[in-house]
Amino acid sequence: MQLHALVALLTLIGAANANDRHVRLAKKAFNVARAPPSSGSTITSATSTSSISSSSSGSSSTSAGASTTTSAVASGSPIGTSIPPLSQITSGMPSQSTLPPTKTYSAGATPPISGVPPLPTPFVYRATDWPPQDQIAPTGVFPPSAIYTNSHALFALLRSGSAEVAEWMKELDGFNIPDFSPTADGTCVGDPVAAADAADRGWWTCGGYTRVTDITACPDKLTWGVSFDDGPGFYSKQLLNFLTSQNITSTFFVVGSRVIERPQVLIEEYMAGHEIAVHTWSHRPLTMLTTEQVVAELGWTRKAIKAVLGVTPTLMRPPYGDIDDRVRAISLAMGMVPVIWTRTPSGATFDTNDWKVPGGVVTGSQSFATFQAILTNATLLNTGFIVLEHDLYSQTVDLAIGYTLPAAMSFNPHLTMDSIGECNHIPATNLYRESNKNTSFPYPNSTSSDSSVSGGSGGHSSSGDISMNIDRIPMSIAVVAGFAALSSLLL
Ligand SMILES: *[C@@H]1O[C@H](CO)[C@@H](O)[C@H](O)[C@H]1NC(C)=O
Ligand SMILES: *[C@@H]1O[C@H](CO)[C@@H](O)[C@H](O)[C@H]1NC(C)=O
Ligand SMILES: *[C@@H]1O[C@H](CO)[C@@H](O)[C@H](O)[C@H]1NC(C)=O
Ligand SMILES: *[C@@H]1O[C@H](CO)[C@@H](O)[C@H](O)[C@H]1NC(C)=O
């Protein structure tokens, strides 16, 4: 009966929007609702791998030809897998198999950080608790039609994601959130008008502008602040085993849509002493989103991590490094310090491009050559450094385990390898709101000091409001009609 009512509602919305695509997406949303998230997830974001669904059985095996170990990792190593030769790490290579958890932790287990709460009761995924995966987190107000799908509608109808976002928006009260209009697509090229203003905006992806509140390196020379983005993934466990075997800790910038899929992997990372930080819900360039959407992207991820681990991270990394003073201010107001990766004085960014290997844009060999150039360039800096790498794809994990991490471990001169909080001498207790007693970290305000921040009237929203107000209208009609239908069915 309830299901029928729901179908009626969705059909109504489909009619209200007069778009078949929405009906298809609604059906997909139903599958998500009935199945564990990994089997029904809609993968749309640039760094979400489309191989997730195809390899979700976890049974894809490494082909015999790829099992020769030629890397620095000895065969029979504790990582539980063998690493293919560099030349075979390419797009379309067979994926590693998925390793089972080594250890399961029960509710009440004590994490390795003093002052954090014990692990909460095991996370149980329910579709109606979470926004659709890999879509821009809904704000409760309908987003522009370009990204408007019926799985948003399902979520909004069942749960109205607006309550959470409205609550999180209050965290911005009293903060000076610049009133910039969102950029077209997070790139210079895509938005010449915003690009002309990049220095004033403090836009990192467009000119490398940073503020003193950004963490972009480690202070001590020849120290690498190790991090991996976009997990927890199918292959994160392999990486985890390797890091443990080598006594290396890392910061994991996790995507909310992945956290609800693989909570057990996140728990293993956290319990093994790695740092957990926020990397948004759907991995979109944040400067292109409205202020409400940025709040939703950070808020839902924070909520997912809290649900699984019981803690709230105080570090975040903007996807693609796409940050400006508006996004910085929102992030800091929500209690999260932005972390990017190192950009040298000559403008080279320490991006291994490993994320371009699965799509065939660069080869494993090219990515590793870039990493070697990064290490060489790092020796010329007066500080330590941070490098962009990923644990979502089989290829990127193979590169890390087999090549980049061993190369750094045997590098001459010797490199110190620590997680990012650790290399920045930030006490572990400061990395989670629940254990943090430091009133000056996360930093209480947005940009360090300068007055280049425009706006300042406390208005949170920018031009995004216009499209949202337009989109609000058909949705309200659909909701009213939907509830009318529901009442008539139930009465
Ligand atoms: C791991 O590293 C820590 C900190 O650097 C050190 O105290 C410890 O002895 C190391 N353990 C092993 C097994 O290498
Ligand atoms: C390393 O530094 C050189 C010289 O500045 C630069 O051309 C190159 O792009 C840099 N490479 C990386 C990966 O940082
Ligand atoms: C608080 O955080 C700031 C910034 O990281 C740091 O300089 C300071 O030492 C910290 N204080 C304590 C007591 O941890
Ligand atoms: C941030 O705080 C510092 C000191 O706490 C102050 O000097 C600065 O003006 C503030 N900046 C903004 C943009 O509010």
Side-chain angles (χ1 to χ4, degrees):
M1 184 60 202
Q2 277 179 346
L3 196 66
H4 287 145
L6 207 56
V7 171
L9 288 180
L10 287 167
T11 309
L12 259 167
I13 295 164
N17 290 288
N19 189 336
D20 283 342
R21 184 170 159 266
H22 292 157
V23 177
R24 269 191 288 116
L25 286 162
K27 283 182 184 146
K28 213 165 188 177
F30 263 120
N31 293 337
V32 173
R34 289 199 304 233
S38 56
S39 59
S41 62
T42 327
I43 305 297
T44 54
S45 103
T47 58
S48 294
T49 167
S50 55
S51 72
I52 277 195
S53 40
S54 62
S55 60
S56 63
S57 63
S59 61
S60 53
S61 57
T62 308
S63 81
S67 62
T68 329
T69 302
T70 59
S71 73
V73 180
S75 56
S77 70
I79 58 171
T81 187
S82 54
I83 301 296
L86 192 54
S87 62
Q88 288 180 21
I89 301 181
T90 55
S91 172
M93 70 179 283
S95 292
Q96 298 280 2
S97 53
T98 305
L99 298 181
T102 309
K103 211 172 159 181
T104 51
Y105 296 90
S106 35
T110 307
I113 299 148
S114 71
V116 298
L119 284 186
T121 51
F123 176 81
V124 178
Y125 171 77
R126 289 189 313 183
T128 52
D129 287 348
W130 302 98
Q133 290 172 279
D134 302 300
Q135 299 180 31
I136 297 172
T139 57
V141 178
F142 261 60
S145 52
I147 47 160
Y148 177 44
T149 71
N150 255 6
S151 40
H152 281 101
L154 177 67
F155 179 75
L157 270 178
L158 294 176
R159 286 270 291 93
S160 162
S162 59
E164 284 88 350
V165 178
E167 196 58 34
W168 300 330
M169 281 298 291
K170 291 184 197 155
E171 296 176 39
L172 273 47
D173 289 348
F175 285 88
N176 177 10
I177 311 295
D179 198 16
F180 306 154
S181 52
T183 66
D185 61 2
T187 71
C188 263
V189 179
D191 195 333
V193 176
D197 201 25
D200 280 350
R201 286 178 176 240
W203 192 5
W204 190 81
T205 25
C206 189
Y209 299 101
T210 60
R211 301 296 185 204
V212 296
T213 47
D214 297 345
I215 295 175
T216 60
C218 305
D220 306 326
K221 192 172 167 66
L222 297 175
T223 298
W224 174 17
V226 179
S227 64
F228 290 92
D229 290 13
D230 297 356
F234 281 109
Y235 316 103
S236 301
K237 180 62 182 148
Q238 258 105 349
L239 177 62
L240 208 50
N241 288 1
F242 180 75
L243 294 173
T244 301
S245 75
Q246 303 301 320
N247 202 14
I248 297 169
T249 57
S250 168
T251 304
F252 287 97
F253 292 96
V254 298
V255 168
S257 295
R258 303 283 79 73
V259 167
I260 60 170
E261 279 179 350
R262 283 177 280 279
Q264 201 57 45
V265 179
L266 188 74
I267 291 173
E268 282 202 76
E269 291 170 354
Y270 175 63
M271 295 302 276
H274 301 288
E275 298 171 357
I276 306 299
V278 166
H279 195 44
T280 76
W281 181 260
S282 72
H283 205 281
R284 295 304 197 282
L286 291 179
T287 68
M288 69 175 277
L289 304 184
T290 66
T291 290
E292 285 82 356
Q293 287 173 329
V294 176
V295 167
E297 283 281 325
L298 298 175
W300 282 110
T301 307
R302 201 174 62 171
K303 188 179 166 78
I305 296 168
K306 170 87 178 175
V308 174
L309 301 179
V311 290
T312 310
T314 60
L315 298 182
M316 65 78 77
R317 173 172 282 168
Y320 313 100
D322 187 40
I323 197 166
D324 61 12
D325 283 343
R326 182 175 63 102
V327 174
R328 271 185 194 96
I330 298 165
S331 176
L332 288 167
M334 292 178 78
M336 286 171 267
V337 174
V339 180
I340 323 180
W341 46 98
T342 303
R343 188 177 189 272
T344 67
S346 66
T349 52
F350 283 2
D351 176 356
T352 58
N353 289 323
D354 63 342
W355 55 283
K356 295 180 181 169
V357 176
V361 178
V362 306
T363 64
S365 306
Q366 287 167 334
S367 173
F368 183 52
T370 300
F371 181 78
Q372 289 173 307
I374 287 171
L375 291 189
T376 303
N377 287 1
T379 62
L380 307 173
L381 300 173
N382 294 323
T383 62
F385 59 101
I386 294 174
V387 178
L388 180 65
E389 292 192 275
H390 299 82
D391 66 322
L392 183 60
Y393 304 100
S394 190
Q395 289 94 335
T396 62
V397 169
D398 284 345
L399 279 168
I401 296 173
Y403 301 95
T404 61
L405 291 167
M409 282 153 45
S410 61
F411 194 68
N412 186 10
H414 171 77
L415 296 175
T416 300
M417 293 160 69
D418 282 328
S419 49
I420 289 174
E422 216 175 340
C423 81
N424 277 277
H425 312 298
I426 300 170
T429 51
N430 292 9
L431 298 178
Y432 305 101
R433 183 183 285 184
E434 289 71 13
S435 54
N436 184 23
K437 294 194 173 61
N438 189 335
T439 51
S440 56
F441 186 92
Y443 311 110
N445 63 20
S446 58
T447 51
S448 55
S449 57
D450 72 331
S451 53
S452 64
V453 175
S454 68
S457 57
H460 293 150
S461 311
S462 40
S463 62
D465 272 352
I466 297 163
S467 54
M468 286 198 295
N469 287 336
I470 291 167
D471 279 329
R472 197 195 307 244
I473 297 162
M475 185 50 202
S476 318
I477 295 167
V479 169
V480 171
F483 280 111
L486 183 62
S487 321
S488 69
L489 275 166
L490 294 177
L491 292 177

